[in-house]
Amino acid sequence: MYLVDRTRVHLDRVEGLGHFLELEVVLSSSESSQPGVEVAHHLLDRLGIESSQLIEGAYVDLLEEKGS
């Protein structure tokens, strides 16, 4: 895990799926999710990651889909 400002950056390798990057923006209890989304999008832009490359869901769900 790496920390970029208030974003935790996880580099994951999942057997059977490949390599993934996960962003986790830490928000204060009084913050709405919108600032976190903006921070994440800004970091994705800086990393050169396009929205078409994003995947939602848990790894276990992706593994189940792959097995179908």
Side-chain angles (χ1 to χ4, degrees):
M1 182 186 81
Y2 298 91
L3 188 60
V4 179
D5 296 319
R6 63 183 189 155
T7 304
R8 297 176 184 145
V9 180
H10 303 265
L11 302 176
D12 300 333
R13 188 185 70 151
V14 181
E15 190 172 327
L17 290 178
H19 296 86
F20 295 86
L21 176 134
E22 178 182 354
L23 301 180
E24 179 183 355
V25 181
V26 179
L27 302 173
S28 71
S29 59
S30 62
E31 265 184 302
S32 70
S33 62
Q34 188 56 38
V37 170
E38 292 170 7
V39 167
H41 283 229
H42 177 71
L43 187 52
L44 290 171
D45 286 343
R46 287 177 49 199
L47 293 170
I49 298 171
E50 299 180 16
S51 60
S52 63
Q53 297 173 284
L54 301 179
I55 298 171
E56 288 190 34
Y59 296 138
V60 68
D61 296 333
L62 294 173
L63 286 166
E64 283 181 10
E65 287 176 17
K66 186 177 178 184
S68 300

